[in-house]
Amino acid sequence: MTVRLRLLLLLYAACVPSFGRDNATECRIPAFGDASLDRWVTTGSGFTVEDGTLSLNEGIACARWQHRLADFVVDLKWQAQSPDARGGLFFRSALPASENPCPSRYRILLTPGKEGELDWAEPTQSGKPDLVKAGQWNDLRLAVTGASATLTINGQQAWHVTGLTESDGWFGLFADASAGGTLAFRDVVVTEIGFQSLCNGQDLTGWEGAGADAQQCWKVEDGLLLCTGERGPWLRTAAEYGDFNLRLEYRLRPGGNSGVYIRVPANGTHHGEGAGIEVQILDDAAERYRTLKAYQYTGSLYAIVAADPRVARPAGQWNSLEIDCRGTKYRVTHNGIDVIQADEHTASELAQRRVSGFLGLQNHSEEVWFRHLRIASAEPAASAEPAASVEPAALAEPMGAADPR
């Protein structure tokens, strides 16, 4: 199978709800969908991606997934390209100290003589080195659910452990080429258990235009959810949500502007007491936006809390956004970096905002692309009010550098 065909198959299978694992909803995300590291946060400069293969050729480096993972499955292939190659995986880890690029707990070492070894604070859990094919590509599956983890190598169980104490944390890959030798990974797919896709990749099922036909300015094309830039409504979920974790990827044109509405009423109000909230999406680097207020840049709770740090990528590149809402507590993670951690005690206005409502995507009369929209939540909240019509003036907000909502 060619690399191109393999990537297309992975993209086709990505983030589709399935119910094969005890009826749990799942989303599958290919790690290198664009043959790049844009779904990872890297430490060190030795990683390269070529033809869908991630290799570490020099130094010590770590690449962690852009979102924390609780229950999940990771499938991948790895190859130690010399007997001196060193490296492996980590999961449910806290961020390491700045002087150490890789977490030291819950590590799986994929090195000759130590295949499948798991480092614990408790005694080491050894694997079965004889399962590994030296110098060849090996299949690996790591399944983590609740307090348990199971490692499978080349179709056979290497170990099963219980007693995990962290409920979630970072997953990543690490390697040390300083001892000589390259460790390579490919066909990496992360399955997030408990998440449901919000876009089926074919049409606007599950969404509706706020007060007008969504198809005036929204469509699904090549599996992507697209705002065409035509005048028309913002896009609203058919269901309402209370506490949730929302994850998505977006891409803007130069100077682009959009936003994600959370917990808004049917009319989309996201300013003032009793309203929902907008999480800003913007081409932060555009000259037209250089004098905005801090809370108007990407990842900010608009007009409430400013994102810090600002980590938006250049226009035309894909960015990831994660919004976690628990009561009046909000965490926003942008490109794998926490940029907002706030609640009503640090930002009193949050106590005045709704804790249940619709999700929405803003139409700012310009093109914007979304993909891999998925949510983990309790049952959708019962509708608090009918989806009333919206006044025409609210259907599309005008572009303006002074107020990019």
Side-chain angles (χ1 to χ4, degrees):
M1 183 184 296
T2 66
V3 170
R4 178 176 176 81
L5 178 58
R6 186 165 59 243
L7 289 174
L8 286 174
L9 290 173
L10 288 174
L11 284 168
Y12 177 77
C15 206
V16 175
S18 64
F19 300 91
R21 196 188 320 278
D22 298 328
N23 293 325
T25 304
E26 306 171 348
C27 279
R28 291 167 50 86
I29 312 294
F32 310 122
D34 293 335
S36 71
L37 282 167
D38 62 3
R39 292 188 178 131
W40 303 81
V41 177
T42 59
T43 303
S45 58
F47 279 129
T48 60
V49 178
E50 186 175 355
D51 294 332
T53 298
L54 174 69
S55 301
L56 179 70
N57 302 308
E58 60 181 33
I60 301 173
C62 167
R64 65 173 173 84
W65 189 242
Q66 60 192 345
H67 304 291
R68 293 173 181 84
L69 296 176
D71 293 350
F72 67 94
V73 176
V74 169
D75 293 285
L76 59 80
K77 296 182 185 293
W78 98 89
Q79 181 185 58
Q81 297 180 344
S82 88
D84 296 320
R86 294 290 182 268
L89 328 177
F90 59 84
F91 65 98
R92 284 199 185 170
S93 296
L95 291 180
S98 57
E99 66 274 8
N100 177 8
C102 301
S104 59
R105 196 158 190 239
Y106 299 164
R107 291 197 308 174
I108 302 171
L109 305 179
L110 302 175
T111 57
K114 292 188 177 181
E115 292 84 351
E117 181 178 306
L118 177 60
D119 284 350
W120 300 91
E122 296 78 25
T124 297
Q125 170 70 38
S126 296
K128 298 179 180 179
D130 57 303
L131 297 181
V132 178
K133 296 176 284 188
Q136 301 181 43
W137 285 102
N138 294 270
D139 293 308
L140 179 147
R141 166 169 283 199
L142 174 64
V144 180
T145 306
S148 301
T150 303
L151 180 71
T152 303
I153 295 176
N154 292 325
Q156 298 187 55
Q157 182 173 303
W159 48 250
H160 172 78
V161 296
T162 59
L164 302 180
T165 56
E166 287 76 12
S167 60
D168 67 5
W170 300 105
F171 164 79
L173 311 172
F174 67 92
D176 180 0
S178 61
T182 298
L183 191 67
F185 301 91
R186 76 180 191 199
D187 298 348
V188 183
V189 177
V190 177
T191 300
E192 299 172 343
I193 299 175
F195 281 81
Q196 181 174 0
S197 175
L198 290 175
C199 181
N200 63 19
Q202 300 175 354
D203 56 37
L204 294 174
T205 299
W207 297 87
E208 57 193 18
D213 184 0
Q215 295 185 67
Q216 292 180 17
C217 54
W218 296 92
K219 64 180 180 179
V220 177
E221 185 175 83
D222 297 329
L224 305 179
L225 179 57
L226 166 65
C227 180
T228 65
E230 299 296 324
R231 185 173 178 83
W234 58 278
L235 196 64
R236 181 178 62 206
T237 54
E240 296 185 54
Y241 297 89
D243 291 350
F244 60 85
N245 183 282
L246 173 68
R247 300 177 178 184
L248 58 88
E249 297 175 21
Y250 71 89
R251 185 177 68 194
L252 296 170
R253 295 276 192 199
N257 188 340
S258 187
V260 179
Y261 296 159
I262 54 177
R263 295 170 163 176
V264 295
N267 64 7
T269 301
H270 51 280
H271 294 276
E273 186 173 356
I277 290 175
E278 178 192 355
V279 177
Q280 176 73 302
I281 292 177
L282 195 72
D283 176 13
D284 286 357
E287 177 65 20
R288 67 195 301 180
Y289 302 138
R290 66 183 179 85
T291 60
L292 297 180
K293 295 180 176 64
Y295 60 65
Q296 292 178 288
Y297 290 103
T298 303
S300 298
L301 305 183
Y302 194 89
I304 305 175
V305 183
D308 184 25
R310 284 166 34 196
V311 294
R313 296 179 180 134
Q317 295 186 21
W318 284 101
N319 295 259
S320 70
L321 192 65
E322 176 180 343
I323 305 167
D324 191 87
C325 301
R326 311 287 163 177
T328 61
K329 184 177 181 179
Y330 295 81
R331 172 172 55 81
V332 178
T333 306
H334 188 206
N335 290 327
I337 305 297
D338 290 341
V339 298
I340 293 282
Q341 296 197 64
D343 58 27
E344 61 183 294
H345 303 294
T346 59
S348 60
E349 188 173 344
L350 293 176
Q352 303 172 8
R353 299 303 179 97
R354 294 166 58 104
V355 294
S356 180
F358 294 96
L359 305 179
L361 302 175
Q362 186 183 56
N363 174 13
H364 217 288
S365 297
E366 56 191 282
E367 286 182 301
V368 58
W369 293 261
F370 297 93
R371 68 184 183 188
H372 298 312
L373 296 100
R374 62 227 192 251
I375 192 168
S377 72
E379 291 297 319
S383 180
E385 57 184 294
S389 298
V390 182
E391 292 300 317
L395 296 181
E397 301 180 35
M399 169 67 79
D403 188 25
R405 298 175 183 173

